[in-house]
Amino acid sequence: MTTTTTSTPKLATDPAGDNLRFYGVWLAGILALVVLPLVFSSGGSVTSFSLIGIAIVFALSYNILLGQTGLLSFGHAVHYGLGGFAACHMMNAVVSHGWPIPLPFIPLFGGLGGLVFAVIIGWVMTKRAGTVFAMISLGIGELVASSSLILRSVFGGEAGITTDRTALPKMFGWSFGPQIQVYYLIAFWLVLSAIAMYALTRTPLGRISNAVRDNPERVQFIGYDPHVVRYIAFCFAGFFAGVAGGLAAINFEIANSAYLGAIQSGLVLFSTFIGGTAYFFGPILGAILVTYLQLGLTSVTSVWQLYFGIIFIGIVMFSPGGIAGLVMMHRPLVRAGTLGTVIPAYLVAIVPTLALACGVILSIEIVARFSGGEPINLFGIGFKPQSPVTWITAAVLLVVGGFVARLSWLRVADAWDRAATVARDRGYLA
Amino acid sequence: MTAAAIEVRAVDKRFGNVGIIRDLNLSVAKGERHAIIGPNGAGKSTTFNLISGHIEPTAGEVRLNGDVISGLRPFEINRRGLSRSFQVTNVFARMSVWENVRCAVLWATGHRYAFWKNVDSLPEVRERTAKILDDIHLMHRRDVPAGLLTYAEQRELEIGITIASGATVVMLDEPTAGMSHAETDRAVALIRRLTEGKTLVIVEHDMSVVFGLADRISVLVYGHIIASGTPEEIRRDPKVKEAYLGEEAH
């Protein structure tokens, strides 16, 4: 999973070691999926892990468009939602007709739901990339989302379509009533989808998608129709988004219009971008972080969306490569053995950066809770939003923290440049 | 008589009311090295764009090996065996040098839009990519993103991508533009070697390159070819002297 989607650097390492590391990362990932719910076995954790699994499949499917083919979609949740509805209808049909289809096969029908819509709508949508594609995707997203409230027979109106996952034929004696069983079903489909989507990046189509992303004009002069390339990539993205939607339908036992709306589309864009689009594992990190933030922040603050926005702007401005980009920046340093020289600068920078972050949080919460809100609890310390002491604390943290943080960041940049130069001199570019 | 590799017949190209190309006639025989020269703004790049399908002629037709190709899309023309390079370097910047060339090999080796094959385990693709990288002397840079290459290296990669499909008709748009003397000599040797047995159409400003490389030369002035012939004929042609070589001939 550490291989880039853009190139396969094979610098001065032996292929056997590369292979070992490659499969090692995947096996470690799978092992983590199996073991995690055993270690953190509370109901809340297993529910969170299930949501994260779904979010990862969804974000990876989105990155087929954004990271690999260069298509910015504002309506990817359409395929997710239609996958969810397809899965719900299928589950209900299986139950009412007594078909011998157990629950673990249902996400496949979710995928087909997402795929069919992509096949129908994709040809027109992918004619152009860039702004045209983005605008059409926004329009289609709104169109489908509003249709879902109007076409009651298919989408069930406001209430949506409900289903009962335990009513399907059993498999291995599992009823899929308990959340832990649903978690393992999601984990299974996550592994399957992730392997399939990774494999896709290593095919002729996957590489040509990268070429279309980089330079659609030139692609035409090496024999390829960029429209066809975008269309096929779009269909794959639609399929895997549908799988994610199907998993969500199983998890919640309902599909409704919220599945295919703009908020869901925005969230997947957000996760993928924050994680980093240039690396396969970027969206995985993004989905984990965003899902956790979503679950965690909503319980502590009413303005959690504001924090999302700030994080997003921060990433766009300071690290356009996302978290994965930040991580992979350090690969040449690790290889050249110069990582140790930047660590002290990082440690020094942590303190003022945290102070600045606390200043920002305190300021936001003062505004949010000024009229009749609850007291602010920041790392166990209570602050009254109406008290001047709180305001002064916030101001001091903001100004002093901000000033010192800036200085410390300059030192970080200095240290990093020196380490990177050494690494480059030793022949490690990536 | 066998059909010419490229046959341009009475082609006009107008952008709005402005005629860029007027009654253009050009014939390039199979296996010939043909240079198109002309002052800036004469329509050389437009001619390239017209032949390679980048833009469509307003009137007239273009034939490749006897078949009409005007009106076809660039990738359709490319699949028929015509490949071109660009005056402004036009590579896949975020992809490695290896990936750049390999992408250009994929269609010609029949892998097309395949999503069921591992691109790393296609022996003929790997061998062909490796051979081209050896040919353009970029094997040692194979893992570097194309956007990080030096200018001269990018120009060489541009040529590599152009010939990678194995096209029989190769069109190079100012391949040595912006290169030093040493780099130009290297590039010319490279072009000569790589287009052995192929038809080559080249736009070039450097007259030593043109007269050293071309079997035949066409002179384009204001969107019209005023003379076509061997380097000797072109050198002696009074119209050419007047219109173009007059001030630039060495």
Side-chain angles (χ1 to χ4, degrees):
Chain A
M1 273 195 242
T2 51
T3 314
T4 71
T5 53
T6 52
S7 59
T8 49
K10 291 187 196 72
L11 287 158
T13 46
D14 65 313
D18 268 1
N19 262 337
L20 200 67
R21 204 171 311 136
F22 173 75
Y23 290 110
V25 170
W26 281 91
L27 284 176
I30 293 170
L31 195 68
L33 284 175
V34 173
V35 173
L36 264 180
L38 305 178
V39 180
F40 304 96
S41 55
S42 75
S45 312
V46 175
T47 305
S48 307
F49 294 150
S50 303
L51 296 179
I52 288 171
I54 296 167
I56 291 174
V57 176
F58 192 25
L60 283 174
S61 81
Y62 188 72
N63 205 35
I64 295 177
L65 296 179
L66 184 61
Q68 278 141 32
T69 318
L71 291 170
L72 173 63
S73 170
F74 289 120
H76 197 50
V78 164
H79 307 283
Y80 174 84
L82 291 177
F85 279 103
C88 276
H89 282 298
M90 192 64 199
M91 282 152 83
N92 290 340
V94 166
V95 173
S96 63
H97 292 88
W99 290 334
I101 301 174
L103 190 72
F105 289 94
I106 291 299
L108 183 65
F109 296 96
L112 290 177
L115 174 66
V116 166
F117 190 71
V119 167
I120 295 168
I121 203 77
W123 187 252
V124 181
M125 281 187 72
T126 56
K127 225 177 179 72
R128 299 283 202 84
T131 315
V132 177
F133 175 83
M135 289 302 116
I136 297 178
S137 73
L138 189 64
I140 298 280
E142 284 304 296
L143 187 80
V144 174
S146 51
S147 304
S148 72
L149 292 173
I150 300 163
L151 306 172
R152 290 172 172 280
S153 56
V154 185
F155 297 103
E158 298 266 358
I161 301 282
T162 52
T163 185
D164 176 6
R165 66 182 179 226
T166 58
L168 274 79
K170 286 192 169 47
M171 198 168 159
F172 317 123
W174 283 23
S175 68
F176 293 102
Q179 185 65 33
I180 185 77
Q181 294 184 359
V182 174
Y183 166 80
Y184 279 115
L185 189 156
I186 292 171
F188 170 76
W189 274 93
L190 165 60
V191 171
L192 210 63
S193 309
I195 290 174
M197 284 188 267
Y198 182 74
L200 185 65
T201 67
R202 316 284 306 238
T203 64
L205 178 82
R207 297 306 164 150
I208 290 296
S209 299
N210 295 165
V212 168
R213 172 200 66 200
D214 279 10
N215 193 341
E217 184 198 46
R218 186 60 192 256
V219 165
Q220 299 197 50
F221 294 93
I222 57 171
Y224 282 91
D225 184 352
H227 182 194
V228 173
V229 176
R230 284 193 289 261
Y231 178 58
I232 302 175
F234 185 78
C235 290
F236 272 106
F239 175 79
F240 287 108
V243 169
L247 292 172
I250 289 170
N251 189 57
F252 298 114
E253 297 186 296
I254 189 172
N256 57 36
S257 62
Y259 276 43
L260 16 83
I263 291 175
Q264 197 67 248
S265 291
L267 215 54
V268 72
L269 162 61
F270 188 73
S271 308
T272 309
F273 197 90
I274 284 188
T277 59
Y279 298 95
F280 185 79
F281 68 92
I284 298 177
L285 298 182
I288 294 171
L289 180 76
V290 169
T291 311
Y292 253 120
L293 279 181
Q294 213 183 355
L295 295 172
L297 282 180
T298 43
S299 62
V300 292
T301 173
S302 57
V303 289
W304 55 277
Q305 280 159 321
L306 186 60
Y307 290 100
F308 268 32
I310 291 173
I311 292 170
F312 190 64
I313 292 169
I315 297 268
V316 171
M317 284 176 61
F318 299 113
S319 172
I323 300 168
L326 279 181
V327 172
M328 296 308 277
M329 263 171 72
H330 295 89
R331 190 159 67 164
L333 307 195
V334 173
R335 287 186 168 175
T338 56
L339 185 68
T341 61
V342 294
I343 299 283
Y346 283 178
L347 291 177
V348 169
I350 283 179
V351 179
T353 306
L354 267 180
L356 173 65
C358 288
V360 171
I361 294 169
L362 212 48
S363 311
I364 291 172
E365 293 303 326
I366 289 169
V367 176
R369 301 182 191 203
F370 186 75
S371 46
E374 289 167 17
I376 305 159
N377 179 352
L378 194 63
F379 300 113
I381 307 166
F383 292 96
K384 278 204 191 78
Q386 295 87 356
S387 151
V389 178
T390 310
W391 306 343
I392 292 165
T393 313
V396 168
L397 283 172
L398 265 183
V399 174
V400 179
F403 182 72
V404 180
R406 252 196 93 76
L407 289 181
S408 71
W409 295 341
L410 290 176
R411 285 191 49 186
V412 166
D414 254 11
W416 196 88
D417 279 343
R418 270 198 304 277
T421 310
V422 174
R424 209 174 304 127
D425 291 346
R426 291 182 191 168
Y428 296 99
L429 281 168
Chain B
M1 189 190 140
T2 57
I6 296 178
E7 183 83 55
V8 179
R9 285 186 196 158
V11 161
D12 280 341
K13 181 64 194 177
R14 281 187 294 275
F15 293 105
N17 282 329
V18 188
I20 302 294
I21 299 290
R22 298 168 300 134
D23 191 27
L24 185 80
N25 289 283
L26 175 70
S27 179
V28 180
K30 279 187 182 139
E32 178 179 295
R33 292 201 178 101
H34 197 110
I36 300 176
I37 62 173
N40 283 329
K44 300 186 294 292
S45 287
T46 308
T47 303
F48 257 47
N49 289 340
L50 283 166
I51 295 172
S52 62
H54 204 41
I55 54 177
E56 238 181 277
T58 314
E61 64 176 26
V62 181
R63 286 171 183 264
L64 177 68
N65 300 322
D67 303 323
V68 176
I69 55 165
S70 37
L72 294 183
R73 312 274 301 278
F75 50 87
E76 293 170 317
I77 294 173
N78 181 269
R79 289 170 198 171
R80 288 168 182 236
L82 182 147
S83 188
R84 68 163 291 184
S85 75
F86 288 80
Q87 189 181 337
V88 178
T89 303
N90 208 348
V91 295
F92 305 112
R94 285 168 61 189
M95 301 171 78
S96 69
V97 169
W98 175 268
E99 297 280 358
N100 266 267
V101 172
R102 182 166 66 181
C103 279
V105 166
L106 284 173
W107 186 275
T109 45
H111 298 293
R112 306 189 170 198
Y113 302 106
F115 49 79
W116 52 88
K117 301 172 184 171
N118 183 343
V119 74
D120 291 323
S121 51
L122 303 169
E124 80 278 25
V125 171
R126 189 166 51 230
E127 281 157 26
R128 215 154 137 175
T129 308
K131 181 169 180 319
I132 286 164
L133 282 185
D134 279 335
D135 281 343
I136 59 174
H137 314 296
L138 283 180
M139 197 47 132
H140 65 291
R141 304 279 270 164
R142 53 171 289 173
D143 296 318
V144 179
L148 297 184
L149 294 178
T150 66
Y151 177 75
E153 285 173 333
Q154 286 190 356
R155 296 305 298 172
E156 280 164 348
L157 178 60
E158 178 83 35
I159 294 173
I161 293 172
T162 307
I163 57 149
S165 67
T168 53
V169 179
V170 175
M171 301 176 67
L172 302 178
D173 195 350
E174 298 200 24
T176 69
M179 284 187 179
S180 69
H181 274 298
E183 288 165 346
T184 301
D185 289 346
R186 228 167 79 113
V188 170
L190 180 72
I191 292 165
R192 191 186 295 280
R193 192 158 46 82
L194 293 180
T195 58
E196 199 66 54
K198 299 177 187 231
T199 308
L200 171 70
V201 183
I202 185 169
V203 164
E204 186 53 68
H205 272 301
D206 188 329
M207 286 304 136
S208 63
V209 172
V210 169
F211 284 92
L213 193 64
D215 302 320
R216 293 180 73 233
I217 298 173
S218 290
V219 184
L220 190 68
V221 177
Y222 293 125
H224 187 76
I225 288 187
I226 59 165
S228 259
T230 62
E232 253 335 283
E233 288 165 359
I234 293 299
R235 233 190 271 273
R236 285 198 303 261
D237 193 305
K239 274 188 297 182
V240 175
K241 276 186 179 162
E242 184 195 344
Y244 180 65
L245 285 179
E247 65 271 21
E248 281 197 39
H250 309 295

